[in-house]
Amino acid sequence: MPDTPSPSAPVILGDEPGSFPHGVLAERHPAIVRQVRDAFPLDPVRRRALDALLASCADGVVEPLPADADPTGRDRDRWAAWGLDGYAGRSWYDVPWLWAESHFYRRLLDAVGYFGPGPWQGVDPFRPAKLAELDAPETDEELAALDGLAELPADERTQALLHGSLWGNRADLGFRLSDRGADAGEQVDALVADDSDTLWSLLPAPGQGTSRRGPATLCLVADNAGRELVPDLLLVSHLLAEGRVDRAVLHVKPYPYYVSDATPTDVLDALRRLVAAGGTAAAYGDRLWAALTDGRVTVRAHPFSCAPLPYADMPEDLRADFAAATVTVFKGDLYYRRLVGDRRWPATTPFADVTAYFPGPVAALRTLKSDVVTGLDAGTEAALEASGERRWRTGGTHALIQVRR
């Protein structure tokens, strides 16, 4: 069921003008509708549907799914369980922001005919931008930088790949993996919490193979596609090669979501990009390709990945998956919000407390791009507030690595 109110940490809404959530609903969502409208030669029916969604973003209300939005009926049942019946007829700004964002993307897919039937069925409206990012010259430069990775000591190489995954496509920090100069210092200073030692302690040491508790399994809940998914794949490939994990499960979205979120198709695109790159990048890609074919790496696209709810409400089959993992790593800002709950937590609220429901060891790798944050010590929070950087919570300039055993 939808997240319920809590006086100590209220659920975040988008109803406060000037707030970050309000800006997303009032400005970002209409801009996304316009971009999709301009990017495809959609027929008049689809264009009218996008125009209707655009108008709804401005002053409309949450509406039920259209009659033709779900040929199987399964998704309609899911959204009913996820709160649609209770929120229909209410303003986008007066329902939980996490829920409103998620439902917007579901309605955008309806508008472009993603769920069919029709010629646009299954066409990712964000795919051109994803492929353009993978094909950009900057990606070649970033992948070429991997060739210097072997020169680093083993522990520094592992930490560099972890930070590459953390920072995603911030090439100046995340991909200059062989650069041990100023950028590395900036990267560390930008961390507001760093439990990386705890993360590594959950996995077997390099060369030790299977842990005493049985095969070491990493669940990696991936966030964005393109140049942000590539370092996630590099990290998985490296951990397999080092014997830190025996198998990995890569969780992605079952359909396009939040503009750039990764789907199974995006995994294949990123993997092919690695294999075709040559050099060290290709070696990482070849290793992953082999691991996928022999079952050491699997891809899962669970419907709950696109749910508008926190992971405290996850279904039992997904809970069982995570319970069986040696550690589950959640990537990105959206998943952080869903992991800890999209609430106005005091920043010093312990990360272990807000993730106590999770069925096994869990980690978050996240650049800060929304107001939610937990697990900071009081000194760090005070320094950030005193820094004069008003957008430290939302600007993507800071990051965290948090772990609960």
Side-chain angles (χ1 to χ4, degrees):
M1 63 178 65
D3 207 4
T4 53
S6 167
S8 61
V11 172
I12 294 176
L13 307 180
D15 60 347
E16 181 183 344
S19 68
F20 185 72
H22 189 277
V24 169
L25 296 174
E27 300 170 14
R28 184 183 298 176
H29 286 181
I32 290 169
V33 174
R34 296 187 188 99
Q35 289 168 4
V36 170
R37 195 178 190 276
D38 294 342
F40 290 88
L42 297 168
D43 58 69
V45 172
R46 296 295 121 212
R47 297 176 76 81
R48 284 195 296 270
L50 285 172
D51 289 343
L53 180 58
L54 187 62
S56 177
C57 290
D59 55 11
V61 298
V62 174
E63 298 177 358
L65 293 178
D68 61 351
D70 179 21
T72 68
R74 290 191 296 270
D75 205 36
R76 186 181 299 276
D77 292 342
R78 291 189 196 105
W79 276 94
W82 294 343
L84 180 55
D85 293 345
Y87 291 144
R90 295 172 61 178
S91 167
W92 292 94
Y93 298 91
D94 293 335
V95 302
W97 179 43
L98 173 65
W99 198 97
E101 276 195 292
S102 298
H103 190 62
F104 164 78
Y105 286 103
R106 180 60 177 81
R107 296 306 303 272
L108 179 62
L109 293 179
D110 286 335
V112 299
Y114 180 85
F115 294 102
W120 298 103
Q121 185 176 25
V123 175
D124 183 347
F126 312 123
R127 185 165 166 77
K130 294 174 180 177
L131 292 178
E133 186 177 274
L134 275 179
D135 293 338
E138 293 84 356
T139 305
D140 290 323
E141 297 173 8
E142 293 160 2
L143 293 177
L146 288 168
D147 291 339
L149 197 63
E151 300 173 4
L152 297 178
D155 58 341
E156 291 187 28
R157 184 166 61 250
T158 300
Q159 197 73 351
L161 285 165
L162 177 68
H163 281 269
S165 179
L166 169 66
W167 288 105
N169 69 358
R170 288 188 59 185
D172 58 326
L173 295 177
F175 262 97
R176 304 299 181 189
L177 298 175
S178 59
D179 183 354
R180 300 164 70 181
D183 281 350
E186 292 173 8
Q187 174 177 308
V188 173
D189 291 342
L191 285 178
V192 298
D194 184 6
D195 295 339
S196 52
D197 287 346
T198 304
L199 175 61
W200 300 133
S201 73
L202 294 171
L203 299 174
Q208 290 189 359
T210 300
S211 71
R212 290 174 296 175
R213 293 166 290 179
T217 300
L218 168 70
C219 277
L220 178 63
V221 186
D223 185 28
N224 290 334
R227 286 165 60 198
E228 295 194 37
L229 181 59
V230 166
D232 295 342
L233 298 182
L234 294 173
L235 179 62
V236 170
S237 181
H238 172 76
L239 294 177
L240 286 168
E242 293 286 305
R244 302 299 300 267
V245 300
D246 299 291
R247 61 185 300 269
V249 183
L250 186 65
H251 286 257
V252 294
K253 306 297 192 302
Y255 50 77
Y257 193 62
Y258 277 72
V259 180
S260 58
D261 285 17
T263 67
T265 298
D266 298 316
V267 173
L268 293 177
D269 287 338
L271 182 58
R272 291 190 183 105
R273 186 69 172 88
L274 283 175
V275 171
T280 302
Y284 278 90
D286 290 339
R287 186 183 305 122
L288 267 181
W289 192 287
L292 281 160
T293 59
D294 66 24
R296 286 176 294 137
V297 174
T298 56
V299 177
R300 186 162 192 206
H302 194 285
F304 194 76
S305 296
C306 292
L309 304 177
Y311 267 83
D313 296 332
M314 77 181 91
E316 288 304 315
D317 64 327
L318 195 55
R319 179 177 292 273
D321 272 7
F322 294 145
T326 306
V327 62
T328 299
V329 176
F330 281 84
K331 279 291 310 293
D333 191 81
L334 171 62
Y335 272 129
Y336 188 82
R337 292 163 58 194
R338 295 186 64 193
L339 178 64
V340 305
D342 201 33
R343 296 173 174 271
R344 298 192 183 281
W345 298 108
T348 55
T349 303
F351 178 74
D353 288 357
V354 294
T355 58
Y357 70 88
F358 202 80
V362 64
L365 304 184
R366 175 236 186 171
T367 54
L368 277 60
K369 297 179 182 177
S370 67
D371 292 310
V372 177
V373 66
T374 67
L376 303 190
D377 63 55
T380 298
E381 182 190 16
L384 289 165
E385 293 292 347
S387 68
E389 187 179 352
R390 294 188 301 112
R391 298 181 64 243
W392 68 264
R393 287 175 178 260
T394 61
T397 56
H398 294 79
L400 55 80
I401 302 171
Q402 291 176 327
V403 180
R404 194 221 72 202
R405 287 179 172 276

